[in-house]
Amino acid sequence: MSTIGKALSLLDTLSRLDKEAGLTDIARLCALDKATARRFLVELEKHGFVEQDQDTRRYRIGSAPVRLARVREARFPLLRVAVPFIKSLAETSTETVHLSEFSGGKLSTIHVEDSPRAHRIIIDVGSLLPFHATASGLAFLAFSPRSEIDAALRKPLEKFTDHTIVDPQLVQNLLDETAARGFSISDQGLEAGVISTAAPIRTPNGHPIGCVAVAAPLSRTTKATIHEFGAQAVTAANAISEKYYGSERPMGTSPKSGGQIDEPYGSFAKDTRHRNR
């Protein structure tokens, strides 16, 4: 990895921490020696990407990324366009709905509308969404070019739960089902007891840029409801695509009607909060 790449990786790591961190911890998390980590931090601080608390000597993300994010959103207003549709879907489904965006080879959550229910799925903004283990990842990959699918499936696939599918051919089968249906279903792929469905937001030429997803506790979800959530996610994703890019709609995004079998996907102990995508 280049020097710039290492510095940006450090910045990315720091942005994902939920509290300030000292030099030793940052160096360890980034697999860098302390001298190198310090050099990167000093340079990043000069340009406003990192701030150091003068009392504790700990580091946090600076204001420069926020400024850049505001410039980007002003010029490419995905959030401004998408959030009303995300809010509407959350109100209709009464489940957690989140928006993701693809950047730097990764798919991550950029907005979340929480479910009003006590027993709900909790998702953090900035969470990375593994392609093979989340509904958003499957939906994004299913509509990606063949070369990108092959590249993703050649990488080691991490097993997060007993239900995570890590065999490349089986993941490919899920992608084929997703492409035919128009939306994905992830059954406990990232965390036990959580099921989610997602649909891609696509450019006029059909390339995905992100996803709309609905996540719900497995214990209150049936096949009928998850298919309904999937169809609603497709509608929301298409509406976002239309408003963001104009009236030309991506092709092949209408979901096929699934079997309306009103059976629960499974039982699960009623914990009040789960973290999943």
Side-chain angles (χ1 to χ4, degrees):
M1 184 184 294
S2 68
T3 300
I4 293 176
K6 290 178 181 178
L8 291 175
S9 179
L10 182 152
L11 182 64
D12 185 64
T13 298
L14 190 61
S15 73
R16 298 183 189 285
L17 301 179
D18 58 3
K19 59 183 179 180
E20 297 175 344
L23 174 62
T24 300
D25 288 334
I26 294 171
R28 175 179 53 80
L29 290 169
C30 298
L32 298 170
D33 60 78
K34 289 177 67 174
T36 300
R38 185 192 301 275
R39 186 171 71 253
F40 289 160
L41 288 166
V42 168
E43 288 301 314
L44 289 168
E45 186 178 16
K46 285 180 182 178
H47 296 280
F49 286 90
V50 164
E51 296 173 350
Q52 185 181 37
D53 187 292
Q54 296 305 306
D55 294 326
T56 66
R57 312 304 296 172
R58 291 178 174 270
Y59 294 90
R60 58 178 175 262
I61 199 73
S63 61
V66 177
R67 176 178 58 81
L68 293 177
R70 287 172 177 165
V71 171
R72 184 181 187 275
E73 180 62 20
R75 296 176 182 173
F76 307 98
L78 178 59
L79 274 175
R80 188 165 72 242
V81 168
V83 166
F85 296 102
I86 302 300
K87 288 181 177 290
S88 178
L89 179 52
E91 291 173 1
T92 301
S93 66
T94 69
E95 299 293 355
T96 299
V97 178
H98 60 104
L99 173 71
S100 61
E101 185 177 21
F102 181 77
S103 180
K106 299 175 182 178
L107 191 65
S108 60
T109 302
I110 61 172
H111 184 80
V112 179
E113 290 294 328
D114 291 322
S115 167
R117 302 185 181 194
H119 182 206
R120 64 190 186 274
I121 309 306
I122 304 300
I123 300 168
D124 296 325
V125 170
S127 299
L128 293 179
L129 305 169
F131 290 116
H132 69 292
T134 63
S136 295
L138 291 170
F140 183 90
L141 206 57
F143 291 91
S144 295
R146 181 74 254 172
S147 60
E148 295 180 18
I149 295 174
D150 291 341
L153 296 185
R154 280 196 298 268
K155 296 177 181 178
L157 303 180
E158 183 177 353
K159 194 170 185 64
F160 297 96
T161 75
D162 291 340
H163 303 275
T164 307
I165 296 176
V166 296
D167 181 278
Q169 184 54 57
L170 295 180
V171 175
Q172 181 61 63
N173 293 344
L174 291 179
L175 298 179
D176 292 341
E177 293 172 5
T178 297
R181 210 169 32 215
F183 59 86
S184 63
I185 296 174
S186 177
D187 186 353
Q188 307 180 85
L190 192 61
E191 184 168 335
V194 178
I195 190 163
S196 53
T197 180
I201 300 167
R202 303 168 69 189
T203 64
N205 67 8
H207 198 287
I209 64 166
C211 292
V212 174
V214 182
L218 187 65
S219 58
R220 67 164 173 257
T221 306
T222 68
K223 289 184 178 181
T225 55
I226 200 66
H227 277 257
E228 178 62 23
F229 291 158
Q232 292 172 353
V234 170
T235 299
N238 284 348
I240 293 168
S241 298
E242 288 179 9
K243 189 166 184 178
Y244 191 55
Y245 289 106
S247 60
E248 185 179 356
R249 296 184 60 180
M251 300 300 291
T253 57
S254 296
K256 295 183 178 181
S257 59
Q260 300 296 299
I261 303 174
D262 196 20
E263 299 172 352
Y265 269 85
S267 59
F268 183 69
K270 295 188 181 297
D271 296 335
T272 59
R273 290 160 66 96
H274 303 287
R275 291 187 179 273
N276 195 30
R277 294 60 179 152

